Amino acid sequence: LWQSTRHVTRQAGRVMESYATRATPKLLGHVALREVSTRRLVRARGDEVALSDEVDCIRATCRFALYEKRAHLLGLQSPVSQRFVGLTFSGAIRCSARRFGRTEEFDFDLARPEASAILCVAANFGAGCWVRVEPKEGRLLPAEPRDAPDALKRAAKFEVIFLDRAFREPEFAEQVLVPTAADAGAASSPPRIVSESTAAPPEDDSERR
């Protein structure tokens, strides 16, 4: 029931984006996504989105700016490339979009950051597919449709790690993130929405290379 409610809310938000004033995406903070079973981090290197080879190592390429467009419509931007993660025309998940458009919309449960599945909202003709991890190369792929029986249970689970208060901002792409002097528990705290004056959200039209 909860997932059905989220789906209805997402669809209503997408309709409003099409027929009403478009919402300005809000920066929620910076996050890393750690796949629960392997403890490897999602990283964007070039336009490839896959699990890193290292375990429990957060590099700058594993750090993403998390934007919220409307309820349950989230976007991930790599600060290294300034590109958004999204679904390509070939059905792959890549970090190549210049804008946070409809194909760059994802949803995951920030209220349960310890183990959340990721929904690629644009997949399955906008009905959404759960993300899975390709076993051999660790690439992220859209898998089973959102409403397939028990698909959520089979989907890959990710820990959402909130970085802003726990780690210093990296200075180069492959830098390992350095903890701040703050309490290490800050990494598990939910992000605070920052004002639009401190974050310059991108425009809301999709444009690819």
Short mmCIF file of all heavy atoms in Angstrom, two decimals, residues 107-157:
data_model
loop_
_atom_site.label_atom_id
_atom_site.label_comp_id
_atom_site.label_asym_id
_atom_site.label_seq_id
_atom_site.Cartn_x
_atom_site.Cartn_y
_atom_site.Cartn_z
N ASP A 107 13.58 7.39 -7.33
CA ASP A 107 12.94 7.46 -6.02
C ASP A 107 13.57 6.41 -5.12
O ASP A 107 13.79 5.27 -5.53
CB ASP A 107 11.43 7.20 -6.13
CG ASP A 107 10.70 7.40 -4.78
OD1 ASP A 107 11.25 8.10 -3.92
OD2 ASP A 107 9.60 6.84 -4.62
N PHE A 108 13.92 6.82 -3.91
CA PHE A 108 14.33 5.88 -2.87
C PHE A 108 13.92 6.46 -1.53
O PHE A 108 13.66 7.66 -1.41
CB PHE A 108 15.83 5.54 -2.92
CG PHE A 108 16.74 6.70 -3.19
CD1 PHE A 108 17.30 7.43 -2.17
CD2 PHE A 108 17.08 7.04 -4.49
CE1 PHE A 108 18.16 8.48 -2.41
CE2 PHE A 108 17.94 8.08 -4.77
CZ PHE A 108 18.49 8.81 -3.72
N ASP A 109 13.84 5.62 -0.53
CA ASP A 109 13.21 5.96 0.73
C ASP A 109 14.22 6.60 1.68
O ASP A 109 15.01 5.91 2.34
CB ASP A 109 12.59 4.72 1.36
CG ASP A 109 11.63 5.05 2.49
OD1 ASP A 109 11.59 6.22 2.91
OD2 ASP A 109 10.92 4.13 2.95
N LEU A 110 14.20 7.93 1.78
CA LEU A 110 15.12 8.63 2.68
C LEU A 110 14.75 8.45 4.14
O LEU A 110 15.56 8.73 5.03
CB LEU A 110 15.14 10.12 2.33
CG LEU A 110 15.70 10.47 0.95
CD1 LEU A 110 15.62 11.98 0.71
CD2 LEU A 110 17.13 9.97 0.79
N ALA A 111 13.54 7.98 4.41
CA ALA A 111 13.13 7.72 5.79
C ALA A 111 13.71 6.39 6.30
O ALA A 111 13.74 6.15 7.50
CB ALA A 111 11.61 7.69 5.90
N ARG A 112 14.19 5.56 5.37
CA ARG A 112 14.81 4.27 5.75
C ARG A 112 16.14 4.16 5.02
O ARG A 112 16.31 3.30 4.14
CB ARG A 112 13.86 3.12 5.39
CG ARG A 112 12.46 3.32 5.94
CD ARG A 112 11.50 2.25 5.47
NE ARG A 112 11.53 1.08 6.31
CZ ARG A 112 10.77 0.01 6.13
NH1 ARG A 112 9.90 -0.02 5.14
NH2 ARG A 112 10.85 -1.02 6.94
N PRO A 113 17.08 5.01 5.35
CA PRO A 113 18.32 5.08 4.56
C PRO A 113 19.25 3.89 4.72
O PRO A 113 20.19 3.75 3.95
CB PRO A 113 18.99 6.36 5.10
CG PRO A 113 18.49 6.48 6.50
CD PRO A 113 17.08 5.96 6.47
N GLU A 114 18.97 3.02 5.69
CA GLU A 114 19.88 1.91 5.91
C GLU A 114 19.76 0.82 4.84
O GLU A 114 20.70 0.06 4.61
CB GLU A 114 19.64 1.29 7.30
CG GLU A 114 18.30 0.61 7.49
CD GLU A 114 17.16 1.58 7.77
OE1 GLU A 114 17.41 2.79 7.86
OE2 GLU A 114 16.01 1.11 7.89
N ALA A 115 18.64 0.73 4.15
CA ALA A 115 18.47 -0.30 3.11
C ALA A 115 17.26 0.06 2.25
O ALA A 115 16.14 -0.39 2.53
CB ALA A 115 18.30 -1.68 3.73
N SER A 116 17.48 0.84 1.22
CA SER A 116 16.39 1.27 0.36
C SER A 116 16.62 0.78 -1.07
O SER A 116 17.75 0.82 -1.57
CB SER A 116 16.29 2.81 0.35
OG SER A 116 15.31 3.24 -0.57
N ALA A 117 15.56 0.30 -1.68
CA ALA A 117 15.63 0.01 -3.11
C ALA A 117 15.55 1.33 -3.88
O ALA A 117 15.08 2.34 -3.37
CB ALA A 117 14.48 -0.91 -3.51
N ILE A 118 16.06 1.32 -5.11
CA ILE A 118 16.04 2.51 -5.97
C ILE A 118 15.12 2.25 -7.15
O ILE A 118 15.26 1.24 -7.84
CB ILE A 118 17.45 2.87 -6.45
CG1 ILE A 118 18.35 3.21 -5.26
CG2 ILE A 118 17.40 4.05 -7.42
CD1 ILE A 118 19.79 3.52 -5.65
N LEU A 119 14.19 3.16 -7.36
CA LEU A 119 13.27 3.06 -8.48
C LEU A 119 13.70 4.01 -9.59
O LEU A 119 13.88 5.21 -9.35
CB LEU A 119 11.84 3.40 -8.05
CG LEU A 119 10.75 3.20 -9.11
CD1 LEU A 119 10.46 1.71 -9.29
CD2 LEU A 119 9.48 3.94 -8.74
N CYS A 120 13.92 3.47 -10.77
CA CYS A 120 14.18 4.30 -11.95
C CYS A 120 12.82 4.66 -12.54
O CYS A 120 12.16 3.84 -13.18
CB CYS A 120 15.03 3.53 -12.96
SG CYS A 120 15.44 4.45 -14.46
N VAL A 121 12.37 5.88 -12.28
CA VAL A 121 10.98 6.26 -12.55
C VAL A 121 10.66 6.25 -14.03
O VAL A 121 9.55 5.88 -14.45
CB VAL A 121 10.69 7.66 -11.95
CG1 VAL A 121 9.27 8.12 -12.26
CG2 VAL A 121 10.90 7.64 -10.43
N ALA A 122 11.61 6.61 -14.89
CA ALA A 122 11.33 6.72 -16.32
C ALA A 122 11.24 5.37 -17.02
O ALA A 122 10.67 5.28 -18.12
CB ALA A 122 12.41 7.57 -16.99
N ALA A 123 11.79 4.33 -16.42
CA ALA A 123 11.79 3.01 -17.05
C ALA A 123 10.37 2.45 -17.14
O ALA A 123 9.45 2.92 -16.47
CB ALA A 123 12.68 2.06 -16.27
N ASN A 124 10.20 1.45 -18.01
CA ASN A 124 8.89 0.81 -18.18
C ASN A 124 7.83 1.83 -18.60
O ASN A 124 6.72 1.85 -18.09
CB ASN A 124 8.48 0.09 -16.89
CG ASN A 124 7.28 -0.82 -17.05
OD1 ASN A 124 7.01 -1.30 -18.15
ND2 ASN A 124 6.54 -1.04 -15.97
N PHE A 125 8.22 2.72 -19.54
CA PHE A 125 7.32 3.73 -20.09
C PHE A 125 6.75 4.66 -19.02
O PHE A 125 5.59 5.05 -19.06
CB PHE A 125 6.19 3.07 -20.89
CG PHE A 125 6.67 2.19 -22.00
CD1 PHE A 125 6.71 0.81 -21.83
CD2 PHE A 125 7.12 2.73 -23.19
CE1 PHE A 125 7.18 -0.02 -22.84
CE2 PHE A 125 7.58 1.91 -24.21
CZ PHE A 125 7.61 0.53 -24.04
N GLY A 126 7.59 4.97 -18.02
CA GLY A 126 7.18 5.89 -16.96
C GLY A 126 6.52 5.22 -15.77
O GLY A 126 6.23 5.90 -14.78
N ALA A 127 6.30 3.91 -15.84
CA ALA A 127 5.71 3.19 -14.70
C ALA A 127 6.76 2.82 -13.65
O ALA A 127 6.42 2.52 -12.52
CB ALA A 127 4.98 1.94 -15.18
N GLY A 128 8.03 2.83 -14.06
CA GLY A 128 9.12 2.59 -13.12
C GLY A 128 9.60 1.15 -13.07
O GLY A 128 8.82 0.21 -13.20
N CYS A 129 10.92 0.99 -12.91
CA CYS A 129 11.54 -0.31 -12.69
C CYS A 129 12.52 -0.20 -11.54
O CYS A 129 13.17 0.83 -11.36
CB CYS A 129 12.29 -0.77 -13.94
SG CYS A 129 11.27 -1.43 -15.27
N TRP A 130 12.62 -1.27 -10.77
CA TRP A 130 13.60 -1.31 -9.69
C TRP A 130 14.99 -1.52 -10.25
O TRP A 130 15.18 -2.25 -11.23
CB TRP A 130 13.26 -2.42 -8.70
CG TRP A 130 11.93 -2.23 -8.03
CD1 TRP A 130 10.79 -2.95 -8.23
CD2 TRP A 130 11.60 -1.23 -7.05
NE1 TRP A 130 9.77 -2.47 -7.46
CE2 TRP A 130 10.24 -1.41 -6.72
CE3 TRP A 130 12.31 -0.21 -6.43
CZ2 TRP A 130 9.59 -0.61 -5.79
CZ3 TRP A 130 11.67 0.60 -5.51
CH2 TRP A 130 10.33 0.39 -5.19
N VAL A 131 15.96 -0.91 -9.63
CA VAL A 131 17.35 -1.01 -10.07
C VAL A 131 17.98 -2.28 -9.53
O VAL A 131 17.78 -2.65 -8.38
CB VAL A 131 18.15 0.22 -9.60
CG1 VAL A 131 19.65 0.03 -9.83
CG2 VAL A 131 17.66 1.48 -10.33
N ARG A 132 18.74 -2.95 -10.38
CA ARG A 132 19.52 -4.10 -9.95
C ARG A 132 20.98 -3.86 -10.31
O ARG A 132 21.31 -2.94 -11.05
CB ARG A 132 19.02 -5.40 -10.61
CG ARG A 132 19.32 -5.51 -12.10
CD ARG A 132 18.86 -6.86 -12.64
NE ARG A 132 19.09 -6.99 -14.08
CZ ARG A 132 20.22 -7.46 -14.61
NH1 ARG A 132 21.22 -7.82 -13.83
NH2 ARG A 132 20.35 -7.56 -15.92
N VAL A 133 21.84 -4.71 -9.78
CA VAL A 133 23.27 -4.61 -10.06
C VAL A 133 23.69 -5.76 -10.94
O VAL A 133 23.43 -6.92 -10.62
CB VAL A 133 24.09 -4.62 -8.75
CG1 VAL A 133 25.59 -4.61 -9.05
CG2 VAL A 133 23.73 -3.43 -7.88
N GLU A 134 24.31 -5.46 -12.07
CA GLU A 134 24.80 -6.49 -12.97
C GLU A 134 25.95 -7.22 -12.28
O GLU A 134 26.93 -6.59 -11.86
CB GLU A 134 25.27 -5.84 -14.28
CG GLU A 134 25.53 -6.81 -15.41
CD GLU A 134 26.95 -7.34 -15.36
OE1 GLU A 134 27.86 -6.60 -14.97
OE2 GLU A 134 27.14 -8.53 -15.69
N PRO A 135 25.86 -8.54 -12.10
CA PRO A 135 26.80 -9.26 -11.23
C PRO A 135 28.26 -9.17 -11.67
O PRO A 135 29.15 -9.05 -10.83
CB PRO A 135 26.30 -10.72 -11.28
CG PRO A 135 24.89 -10.62 -11.73
CD PRO A 135 24.81 -9.43 -12.63
N LYS A 136 28.54 -9.23 -12.96
CA LYS A 136 29.92 -9.33 -13.42
C LYS A 136 30.65 -8.00 -13.33
O LYS A 136 31.76 -7.92 -12.77
CB LYS A 136 29.95 -9.84 -14.86
CG LYS A 136 31.36 -10.09 -15.39
CD LYS A 136 31.31 -10.70 -16.78
CE LYS A 136 32.74 -10.97 -17.29
NZ LYS A 136 32.72 -11.56 -18.67
N GLU A 137 30.06 -6.94 -13.86
CA GLU A 137 30.75 -5.65 -13.93
C GLU A 137 30.23 -4.63 -12.92
O GLU A 137 30.78 -3.54 -12.79
CB GLU A 137 30.63 -5.08 -15.34
CG GLU A 137 31.27 -5.97 -16.41
CD GLU A 137 31.15 -5.38 -17.79
OE1 GLU A 137 30.55 -4.29 -17.92
OE2 GLU A 137 31.66 -6.00 -18.74
N GLY A 138 29.16 -4.98 -12.20
CA GLY A 138 28.65 -4.08 -11.16
C GLY A 138 27.90 -2.88 -11.68
O GLY A 138 27.65 -1.93 -10.94
N ARG A 139 27.50 -2.90 -12.96
CA ARG A 139 26.75 -1.77 -13.50
C ARG A 139 25.33 -1.76 -12.97
O ARG A 139 24.73 -2.80 -12.73
CB ARG A 139 26.73 -1.83 -15.04
CG ARG A 139 28.07 -1.57 -15.68
CD ARG A 139 28.02 -1.65 -17.20
NE ARG A 139 27.79 -3.02 -17.65
CZ ARG A 139 26.68 -3.44 -18.26
NH1 ARG A 139 25.69 -2.59 -18.48
NH2 ARG A 139 26.56 -4.69 -18.65
N LEU A 140 24.77 -0.56 -12.81
CA LEU A 140 23.38 -0.41 -12.38
C LEU A 140 22.48 -0.49 -13.60
O LEU A 140 22.75 0.16 -14.62
CB LEU A 140 23.17 0.91 -11.65
CG LEU A 140 23.34 0.88 -10.12
CD1 LEU A 140 24.73 0.42 -9.74
CD2 LEU A 140 23.04 2.24 -9.52
N LEU A 141 21.41 -1.28 -13.48
CA LEU A 141 20.50 -1.50 -14.60
C LEU A 141 19.06 -1.44 -14.10
O LEU A 141 18.77 -1.87 -12.98
CB LEU A 141 20.74 -2.88 -15.24
CG LEU A 141 22.13 -3.18 -15.78
CD1 LEU A 141 22.23 -4.67 -16.12
CD2 LEU A 141 22.41 -2.34 -17.02
N PRO A 142 18.13 -0.94 -14.93
CA PRO A 142 16.71 -1.08 -14.58
C PRO A 142 16.30 -2.53 -14.76
O PRO A 142 16.64 -3.16 -15.77
CB PRO A 142 16.00 -0.15 -15.58
CG PRO A 142 16.93 -0.05 -16.74
CD PRO A 142 18.32 -0.21 -16.19
N ALA A 143 15.58 -3.08 -13.80
CA ALA A 143 15.26 -4.51 -13.84
C ALA A 143 13.75 -4.73 -13.91
O ALA A 143 13.11 -4.37 -14.88
CB ALA A 143 15.87 -5.22 -12.64
N GLU A 144 13.18 -5.28 -12.84
CA GLU A 144 11.77 -5.66 -12.87
C GLU A 144 10.85 -4.46 -12.72
O GLU A 144 11.18 -3.48 -12.03
CB GLU A 144 11.48 -6.66 -11.75
CG GLU A 144 12.21 -7.98 -11.89
CD GLU A 144 11.86 -8.94 -10.77
OE1 GLU A 144 10.82 -9.62 -10.90
OE2 GLU A 144 12.60 -8.98 -9.79
N PRO A 145 9.68 -4.51 -13.36
CA PRO A 145 8.71 -3.42 -13.21
C PRO A 145 8.31 -3.21 -11.76
O PRO A 145 8.32 -4.14 -10.94
CB PRO A 145 7.51 -3.90 -14.04
CG PRO A 145 8.08 -4.86 -15.03
CD PRO A 145 9.22 -5.53 -14.31
N ARG A 146 7.97 -1.97 -11.43
CA ARG A 146 7.62 -1.60 -10.06
C ARG A 146 6.54 -2.47 -9.47
O ARG A 146 6.59 -2.84 -8.28
CB ARG A 146 7.17 -0.13 -10.04
CG ARG A 146 6.71 0.39 -8.69
CD ARG A 146 5.92 1.67 -8.83
NE ARG A 146 4.71 1.48 -9.61
CZ ARG A 146 3.58 0.97 -9.13
NH1 ARG A 146 3.48 0.60 -7.87
NH2 ARG A 146 2.52 0.82 -9.92
N ASP A 147 5.52 -2.82 -10.26
CA ASP A 147 4.38 -3.54 -9.72
C ASP A 147 4.44 -5.04 -9.93
O ASP A 147 3.45 -5.75 -9.69
CB ASP A 147 3.08 -2.99 -10.33
CG ASP A 147 3.10 -3.01 -11.85
OD1 ASP A 147 4.14 -3.38 -12.44
OD2 ASP A 147 2.07 -2.64 -12.47
N ALA A 148 5.58 -5.59 -10.37
CA ALA A 148 5.70 -7.04 -10.51
C ALA A 148 5.67 -7.69 -9.13
O ALA A 148 6.21 -7.13 -8.17
CB ALA A 148 6.98 -7.40 -11.24
N PRO A 149 5.05 -8.87 -8.99
CA PRO A 149 4.95 -9.52 -7.68
C PRO A 149 6.32 -9.74 -7.04
O PRO A 149 7.22 -10.30 -7.68
CB PRO A 149 4.27 -10.86 -8.01
CG PRO A 149 3.49 -10.59 -9.25
CD PRO A 149 4.33 -9.62 -10.04
N ASP A 150 6.49 -9.28 -5.83
CA ASP A 150 7.71 -9.45 -5.04
C ASP A 150 8.94 -8.82 -5.68
O ASP A 150 10.08 -9.13 -5.28
CB ASP A 150 7.98 -10.94 -4.78
CG ASP A 150 6.92 -11.58 -3.90
OD1 ASP A 150 6.39 -10.88 -3.01
OD2 ASP A 150 6.61 -12.77 -4.10
N ALA A 151 8.76 -7.92 -6.66
CA ALA A 151 9.91 -7.30 -7.31
C ALA A 151 10.71 -6.45 -6.33
O ALA A 151 11.94 -6.40 -6.39
CB ALA A 151 9.43 -6.45 -8.49
N LEU A 152 10.02 -5.78 -5.42
CA LEU A 152 10.72 -4.94 -4.44
C LEU A 152 11.63 -5.78 -3.56
O LEU A 152 12.75 -5.37 -3.22
CB LEU A 152 9.70 -4.18 -3.60
CG LEU A 152 10.25 -3.30 -2.47
CD1 LEU A 152 11.23 -2.28 -3.02
CD2 LEU A 152 9.12 -2.61 -1.73
N LYS A 153 11.20 -6.97 -3.18
CA LYS A 153 12.02 -7.83 -2.33
C LYS A 153 13.29 -8.27 -3.05
O LYS A 153 14.34 -8.44 -2.42
CB LYS A 153 11.21 -9.06 -1.90
CG LYS A 153 10.03 -8.76 -0.99
CD LYS A 153 9.30 -10.04 -0.61
CE LYS A 153 8.11 -9.75 0.28
NZ LYS A 153 7.38 -10.99 0.64
N ARG A 154 13.20 -8.44 -4.38
CA ARG A 154 14.35 -8.90 -5.15
C ARG A 154 15.27 -7.77 -5.60
O ARG A 154 16.38 -8.02 -6.07
CB ARG A 154 13.87 -9.70 -6.36
CG ARG A 154 13.20 -11.02 -6.01
CD ARG A 154 12.93 -11.84 -7.26
NE ARG A 154 11.92 -11.21 -8.12
CZ ARG A 154 10.61 -11.44 -8.03
NH1 ARG A 154 10.15 -12.27 -7.12
NH2 ARG A 154 9.76 -10.83 -8.84
N ALA A 155 14.82 -6.55 -5.50
CA ALA A 155 15.61 -5.42 -5.96
C ALA A 155 16.85 -5.23 -5.08
O ALA A 155 16.87 -5.60 -3.91
CB ALA A 155 14.77 -4.15 -5.94
N ALA A 156 17.90 -4.66 -5.68
CA ALA A 156 19.11 -4.35 -4.91
C ALA A 156 18.78 -3.30 -3.85
O ALA A 156 17.96 -2.42 -4.07
CB ALA A 156 20.20 -3.84 -5.85
N LYS A 157 19.42 -3.43 -2.71
CA LYS A 157 19.20 -2.48 -1.61
C LYS A 157 20.47 -1.65 -1.39
O LYS A 157 21.59 -2.18 -1.45
CB LYS A 157 18.83 -3.22 -0.32
CG LYS A 157 17.59 -4.12 -0.45
CD LYS A 157 16.36 -3.33 -0.79
CE LYS A 157 15.07 -4.17 -0.69
NZ LYS A 157 15.07 -5.33 -1.61
#
